[in-house]
Amino acid sequence: MSEQNPRVLLETSMGSITVELFKEKAPITVKNFLGYVKDGFYDGLIFHRVIKDFMIQGGGLNEAMEQKKPKFAIKNEATNKLSNKRGTLAMARTAIVDSATSQFFINTVDNAFLDHQGKQPDRFGYCVFGQVLEGMDVVDQIRAVKTGNKNGHGDVPLEPVYITSATLIEAE
């Protein structure tokens, strides 16, 4: 019998989101994410980028749009054959394939174009490492907020949406 996947409770200012992490399909990414969770890194950060028919992104900036200093970048595990479907969690990154640190996003629609399609940097894809188990209604509330520009960033919620805490749910 295999042990169950780790689960994390994301408490947000709009409600709770419970996510399951795919530790066998994305071991490096899950270990990285859980490290940030255990350190309390996400507590008090915001969902700083919200695009209704795309995704909601958080895990890196505070309300003043200041970047919280992340740890080192990790290897991109987008070759794990998991698809960026509605309700999945994936790592955000720059144009550099192996640049993901703390920022993640939750897909609000199916985004197959973000999946691994080749070795070239622009086709490598974004690593899916989990899925929402409970709280998609909260994700849908967040994706519907009004957004604008703030401190040089676009698609920022006008009313900040906080990640008040991220905690590991201990297995029963």
Side-chain angles (χ1 to χ4, degrees):
M1 184 173 144
S2 71
E3 52 183 284
Q4 72 172 26
N5 281 325
R7 294 177 178 193
V8 169
L9 176 63
L10 294 172
E11 292 280 2
T12 78
S13 52
M14 296 182 85
S16 302
I17 304 167
T18 302
V19 297
E20 171 189 15
L21 306 177
F22 304 135
K23 66 173 193 265
E24 278 165 30
K25 290 273 193 184
I28 297 166
T29 309
V30 168
K31 183 177 181 219
N32 175 66
F33 185 77
L34 287 175
Y36 284 112
V37 168
K38 288 176 181 148
D39 290 347
F41 184 89
Y42 294 125
D43 303 2
L45 296 181
I46 61 166
F47 281 99
H48 65 274
R49 189 167 170 237
V50 172
I51 303 173
K52 185 173 195 273
D53 293 321
F54 182 35
M55 53 91 227
I56 64 172
Q57 181 174 332
L61 304 178
N62 65 18
E63 183 187 352
M65 301 305 288
E66 294 161 341
Q67 172 90 39
K68 188 168 180 179
K69 179 129 182 63
K71 294 182 278 203
F72 51 87
I74 58 168
K75 180 168 175 34
N76 187 331
E77 296 176 295
T79 55
N80 65 11
K81 302 205 179 3
L82 295 175
S83 182
N84 281 274
K85 296 207 177 309
R86 174 174 157 79
T88 57
L89 265 77
M91 290 307 290
R93 62 174 178 84
T94 66
I96 300 162
V97 171
D98 296 329
S99 62
T101 56
S102 65
Q103 292 189 33
F104 63 92
F105 60 92
I106 301 173
N107 288 289
T108 59
V109 295
D110 291 353
N111 289 314
F113 71 95
L114 296 177
D115 296 348
H116 178 73
Q117 293 162 24
K119 294 211 181 306
Q120 309 87 334
D122 61 336
R123 305 194 62 209
F124 200 88
Y126 292 77
C127 176
V128 171
F129 68 99
Q131 69 184 1
V132 174
L133 290 180
E134 291 166 28
M136 249 342 259
D137 56 326
V138 175
V139 173
D140 286 335
Q141 283 176 43
I142 295 170
R143 76 185 271 211
V145 300
K146 285 191 173 12
T147 59
N149 294 314
K150 185 172 181 185
N151 294 2
H153 294 266
D155 306 304
V156 180
L158 299 178
E159 275 294 308
V161 180
Y162 294 95
I163 300 170
T164 46
S165 70
T167 48
L168 181 64
I169 300 169
E170 296 302 331
E172 276 140 44

